C-alpha cells in the first residue's frame, strides 16, 4: 500500500512531527484501499508556506527567459507522459481512461498559454508624458499563492492556476483533494525534472485544518479555489477577511435548453455526453434538460434509448462511464434518486438497477433519467454531482429563459437550435458565465477565462486567460524624470503635466 506524502522544497516529507494522521485513498472501481495519504494540519501548512516564501525572491527575480525555459520543458515532459498521468487519475478518481486523458490535455492547454507569458506581461510606455517625464507600467507577481482544488479534476483544475502563477513569478502551495491526491505529487515531480527551483511548487495534503491555515496565513497573498458553493463562499469570506486576493469557483446547476426546431438526435447524443460523462462529476455537466414545446416525449425517448446502451464499469476496461468517487458520494446521489421518485418525478431510466463491468465492490450508480421534474423538487434545486439528468418541460422560450435565470447558479448553459436569431437572443439574455450554442459543455479555451455568475463564483476574477494573468500579478506605474537643473526649486503645488 502506497504512502502519499507532502512535497515541500522539491522533496517528499511526512510533514511536521505532530502531523501523523493519514486517510485512505481508494480505487472507486473496486473499493480497494490502495494508499494512505498524510493529512497535514497547520504545522505542515506552515512548513509549505515557509518554503514558498523563501523561494519567492529568487524566482521573482529570475528572468522571463529562464522561467519560460522551465515552462517549455515542463510542457514537453507533460505531453510525452500524459497517458501515465491519465492512468493515475483513473485509478483514484474512477473516470474512464479517455476522459482522464482529455482532462490532462485541457490542462496542458493552460501550460501552453502560460508559455506565452513574455508577451502577456508586456507593459506600456509613454515617452514625454510631461516635459522630459516618461511613464511606464509593469505587472509584478504577488508572492506565495495557495491553490485548493477539488477531487473531480485532480490534474486539470490545478493546471488552470499553477502554470500562470509560476510563469508570472509567484510560488505555489497546492492543496489537492485527499480523495485523489497522487496526481498533484506526480506533477510536482515533473516540475522538479523540468528544472523548477526548490520551494516554487509545493504540495500540502490534508483537510479543513490545512485549508484554514492557508486561508489565514499572513504570507499567502492569494487563494484560488474550486469546489461546492457553500465552501467557496466560506473560502472567499475567510481569506478576504485577512486581506487576500481570492477567486473561489463554486457549484453549478447547468441547463441545456432544446428548442422545437433542434435536431433531436443531435440533442439526445449531446445530453448523454454532457449528462453522464465522468459519471456527472463535472461542474460543467448538464444536469437539467429543458424541453421547449411539444418535443419532450420524443426527446426523452431518444435519450432513454441511448442511456440504456451505456456500459458502466471499471474505467480501465473500456467502459463508457465509471464509478462515483466514494461510497458516501454514491449513496448520497442514490438518495437524491429516491427523493426524486418520491416527489413524483418519472424515473425513465433507473441507475440504481443494473450490472457493472468491474471486480470487487465499486461505487457504481448507472445513468439515471428523470422526466416531469418541477423546480420545487430536490433533484432540481440541489447540485447532485452524479449521473442524474432531469427533464423539465416548458411551453415557450420565455419560460425557459425565466427558469434558467431564476436559478441561483450561473456556471454554464447550452441551447440547441437551428435558429440563429434564437441562439443570439439566448446568449444575450441568459445570466450565466459560459454559454454553448449547440455545444453542451462550453468550457472555454485556455486563452479565454473560465468562470460563472451568481452563486457559481465568489470574487470578480475567473480562471486562466488574461484574467488569470491579472489575478496573479499587480500593476505598478513608474514615472521617471532624469534630473535637470532647470527643474530645481521648491513648489508645493500638486504636480501638473505640461
Amino acid at each position: 500500500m502506497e504512502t502519499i506524502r507532502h512535497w515541500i522544497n522539491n522533496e517528499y516529507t511526512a510533514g511536521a512531527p505532530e502531523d501523523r494522521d493519514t486517510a485512505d485513498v481508494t480505487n472507486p472501481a473496486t473499493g480497494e484501499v490502495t494508499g494512505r495519504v498524510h493529512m497535514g494540519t497547520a504545522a505542515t501548512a506552515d512548513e509549505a508556506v515557509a518554503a514558498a516564501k523563501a523561494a519567492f525572491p529568487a524566482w521573482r527575480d529570475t528572468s522571463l527567459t529562464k522561467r519560460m525555459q522551465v515552462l517549455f520543458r515542463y510542457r514537453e515532459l507533460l505531453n510525452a507522459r500524459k497517458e501515465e498521468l491519465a492512468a493515475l487519475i483513473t485509478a483514484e478518481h474512477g473516470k474512464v481512461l479517455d476522459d482522464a486523458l482529455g482532462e490532462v490535455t485541457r490542462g496542458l492547454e493552460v501550460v501552453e498559454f502560460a508559455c506565452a507569458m513574455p508577451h502577456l506581461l508586456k507593459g506600456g510606455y509613454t515617452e514625454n508624458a510631461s516635459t522630459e517625464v516618461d511613464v511606464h507600467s509593469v505587472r509584478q507577481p504577488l508572492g506565495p499563492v495557495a491553490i485548493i482544488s477539488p477531487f473531480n479534476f485532480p490534474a486539470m483544475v490545478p493546471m488552470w492556476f499553477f502554470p500562470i502563477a509560476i510563469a508570472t513569478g509567484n510560488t505555489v502551495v497546492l492543496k489537492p483533494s485527499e480523495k485523489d491526491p497522487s496526481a498533484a505529487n506526480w506533477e510536482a515531480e515533473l516540475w522538479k525534472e523540468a528544472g523548477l527551483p526548490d520551494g516554487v511548487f509545493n504540495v500540502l495534503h490534508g483537510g479543513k485544518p490545512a485549508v484554514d491555515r492557508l486561508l489565514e496565513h499572513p504570507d499567502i497573498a492569494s487563494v484560488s479555489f474550486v469546489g461546492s458553493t457553500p465552501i467557496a463562499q466560506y473560502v472567499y469570506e475567510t481569506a478576504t477577511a485577512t486581506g487576500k486576493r481570492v477567486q473561489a469557483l463554486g457549484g453549478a446547476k447547468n441547463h441545456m435548453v432544446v428548442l422545437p426546431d433542434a435536431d433531436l438526435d443531435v440533442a439526445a447524443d449531446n445530453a448523454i455526453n454532457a449528462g453522464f460523462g465522468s459519471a456527472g462529476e463535472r461542474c460543467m455537466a448538464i444536469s437539467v434538460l429543458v424541453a421547449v414545446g411539444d418535443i419532450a416525449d420524443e426527446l426523452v425517448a431518444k435519450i432513454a434509448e441511448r442511456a440504456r446502451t451505456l456500459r458502466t464499469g471499471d474505467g480501465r476496461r473500456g467502459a463508457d462511464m465509471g464509478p462515483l468517487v466514494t461510497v458516501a458520494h454514491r449513496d448520497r446521489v442514490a438518495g437524491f434518486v429516491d427523493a426524486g421518485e418520491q416527489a413524483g418525478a418519472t424515473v425513465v431510466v433507473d441507475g440504481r438497477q443494473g450490472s457493472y463491468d468491474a471486480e470487487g465492490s465499486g461505487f457504481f450508480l448507472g445513468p439515471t433519467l428523470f422526466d416531469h421534474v418541477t423546480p420545487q423538487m430536490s433533484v432540481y434545486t440541489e447540485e447532485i454531482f452524479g449521473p442524474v439528468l432531469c427533464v423539465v418541460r416548458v411551453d415557450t422560450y420565455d419560460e425557459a429563459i425565466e427558469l434558467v435565470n431564476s436559478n441561483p447558479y450561473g456556471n454554464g448553459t447550452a441551447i440547441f437550435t437551428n435558429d440563429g436569431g434564437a441562439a443570439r437572443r439566448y446568449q444575450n439574455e441568459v445570466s450565466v458565465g459560459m454559454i454553448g450554442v449547440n455545444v453542451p459543455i462550453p468550457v472555454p479555451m485556455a486563452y479565454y477565462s473560465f468562470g460563472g455568475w451568481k452563486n457559481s463564483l465568489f470574487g470578480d476574477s475567473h480562471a486562466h486567460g488574461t484574467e488569470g494573468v491579472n489575478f496573479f500579478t499587480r500593476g505598478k506605474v513608474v514615472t521617471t524624470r532624469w534630473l535637470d537643473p532647470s527643474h530645481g526649486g521648491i513648489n508645493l503645488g500638486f504636480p501638473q503635466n505640461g
Side-chain angles (χ1 to χ4, degrees), residues 26-369:
T26 306
N27 182 334
T30 64
E32 176 191 6
V33 176
T34 57
R36 296 191 65 82
V37 59
H38 281 266
M39 297 291 283
T41 60
T44 304
D46 286 345
E47 289 187 7
V49 175
K53 181 181 179 181
F56 173 64
W59 184 243
R60 173 197 60 203
D61 295 337
T62 298
S63 71
L64 270 171
T65 297
K66 291 182 179 179
R67 279 191 234 152
M68 291 309 101
Q69 289 170 352
V70 175
L71 263 290
F72 272 96
R73 283 195 293 269
Y74 181 81
R75 186 267 173 201
E76 291 305 300
L77 290 168
L78 180 60
N79 189 53
R81 294 167 54 186
K82 56 189 176 185
E83 287 84 2
E84 182 182 328
L85 180 55
L88 195 61
I89 294 167
T90 295
E92 291 186 351
H93 174 276
K95 65 179 65 177
V96 301
L97 278 170
D98 62 345
D99 191 26
L101 184 59
E103 168 184 346
V104 177
T105 301
R106 293 306 300 267
L108 181 60
E109 292 172 2
V110 183
V111 179
E112 292 169 344
F113 172 78
C115 287
M117 199 55 66
H119 175 74
L120 296 167
L121 282 182
K122 286 193 303 186
Y125 191 95
T126 300
E127 184 180 37
N128 220 33
S130 187
T131 303
E132 297 183 359
V133 174
D134 304 329
V135 181
H136 72 275
S137 64
V138 295
R139 297 203 67 84
Q140 296 183 332
L142 306 177
V145 302
I147 299 168
I148 304 165
S149 62
F151 75 84
N152 61 323
F153 286 99
M156 184 187 73
V157 167
M159 280 193 275
W160 282 352
F161 305 108
F162 67 65
I164 298 173
I166 290 171
T168 51
N170 301 279
T171 54
V172 172
V173 178
L174 168 62
K175 210 301 288 183
S177 170
E178 65 277 13
K179 296 180 178 68
D180 44 12
S182 294
N185 284 12
W186 188 96
E187 289 167 327
E189 291 183 11
L190 206 70
W191 274 119
K192 182 176 182 178
E193 188 175 344
L196 195 68
D198 295 355
V200 176
F201 184 79
N202 307 278
V203 180
L204 168 69
H205 298 292
K208 188 176 186 298
V211 169
D212 283 345
R213 182 54 179 156
L214 293 177
L215 300 183
E216 68 184 19
H217 200 294
D219 293 328
I220 289 293
S222 74
V223 176
S224 302
F225 172 85
V226 177
S228 69
T229 285
I231 305 302
Q233 186 170 7
Y234 170 79
V235 166
Y236 179 76
E237 292 174 349
T238 305
T240 55
T242 62
K244 303 185 194 319
R245 183 176 290 189
V246 181
Q247 48 184 179
L249 283 67
K253 197 70 178 181
N254 302 321
H255 295 64
M256 173 176 158
V257 175
V258 182
L259 297 187
D261 69 304
D263 184 315
L264 297 189
D265 286 310
V266 171
D269 288 343
N270 282 278
I272 290 288
N273 297 338
F276 302 131
S278 195
E281 293 174 326
R282 294 173 176 161
C283 67
M284 290 296 284
I286 292 297
S287 54
V288 178
L289 189 148
V290 184
V292 181
D294 59 1
I295 61 170
D297 287 345
E298 183 180 359
L299 180 57
V300 168
K302 289 178 179 293
I303 295 171
E305 178 185 7
R306 289 159 170 78
R308 294 188 181 104
T309 67
L310 297 179
R311 187 161 62 92
T312 303
D314 192 323
R316 299 166 296 183
R317 295 187 175 192
D320 298 304
M321 193 181 83
L324 294 169
V325 69
T326 64
V327 66
H329 186 52
R330 190 272 312 278
D331 292 347
R332 175 182 178 273
V333 175
F336 276 112
V337 179
D338 295 341
E341 184 176 31
Q342 292 166 10
T346 302
V347 184
V348 181
V349 179
D350 192 343
R352 297 167 297 184
Q353 304 169 0
S355 59
Y356 311 110
D357 183 10
E359 297 180 2
S361 302
F363 315 138
F364 292 102
L365 184 75
T368 298
L369 176 63

Side-chain angles (χ1 to χ4, degrees), residues 355-381:
S355 59
Y356 311 110
D357 183 10
E359 297 180 2
S361 302
F363 315 138
F364 292 102
L365 184 75
T368 298
L369 176 63
F370 277 115
D371 193 8
H372 301 287
V373 172
T374 68
Q376 293 73 41
M377 297 177 179
S378 63
V379 289
Y380 179 83
T381 59

Side-chain angles (χ1 to χ4, degrees), residues 432-446:
V432 176
M434 293 171 285
I435 300 156
V437 176
N438 298 320
V439 175
I441 306 177
V443 177
M445 298 296 291

